[in-house]
Amino acid sequence: MSKPLRPGARIDRAIEEFRVEDMQAVADAAMQVSKTSNLSMKKMISSERGRLNLSLQTVDDRAGITKSHMWELEQGRSVNPTVRTVHGLAQALGIPFISLAAGALNDTQS
């Protein structure tokens, strides 16, 4: 019989699996920067938000970030977002994570 897990162990394991997946996605994005050098996270955010006719408030609520941070990202005033922020924005806007992550990397190199 297996040893029972301590309370919260399943959550800890799920968080660790999420971190590993995110780190792999960031590594994949870094490897594809040359293929995606024309991508810009701020441009993708702005164009997709406009195409979907979404307010800053709607996107930031969906992404789990503040309205001011959302505006700074879209304006290019904030660069080097966290993986969690990129992931949240990708989900909120329906943009593939790998594309948005590559765009974020490109924006930090500008």
Side-chain angles (χ1 to χ4, degrees):
M1 183 171 199
S2 65
K3 184 178 175 183
L5 296 175
R6 66 172 177 72
R10 288 189 357 219
I11 293 171
D12 291 344
R13 189 172 353 144
I15 290 170
E16 185 57 32
E17 288 173 9
F18 179 73
R19 285 184 184 144
V20 169
E21 288 175 17
D22 280 351
M23 293 306 292
Q24 184 59 52
V26 169
D28 292 344
M31 297 298 288
Q32 293 186 27
V33 166
S34 63
K35 296 178 186 174
T36 58
S37 61
N38 61 333
L39 295 178
S40 166
M41 186 177 83
K42 64 184 178 184
K43 290 178 184 174
M44 284 188 273
I45 291 170
S46 179
S47 65
E48 196 60 19
R49 190 172 72 80
R51 188 183 75 74
L52 296 171
N53 197 30
L54 298 173
S55 68
L56 284 172
Q57 188 70 54
T58 300
V59 176
D60 69 50
D61 286 345
R62 290 180 182 179
I65 61 176
T66 65
K67 186 176 178 179
S68 61
H69 191 211
M70 174 66 200
W71 182 83
E72 289 176 345
L73 289 166
E74 189 173 281
Q75 296 300 310
R77 293 182 180 206
S78 178
V79 295
N80 200 18
T82 64
V83 171
R84 178 172 286 160
T85 297
V86 175
H87 182 262
L89 286 169
Q91 287 188 323
L93 295 167
I95 300 171
F97 175 83
I98 194 80
S99 297
L100 202 57
L105 290 171
N106 291 337
D107 288 349
T108 62
Q109 295 174 5
S110 299

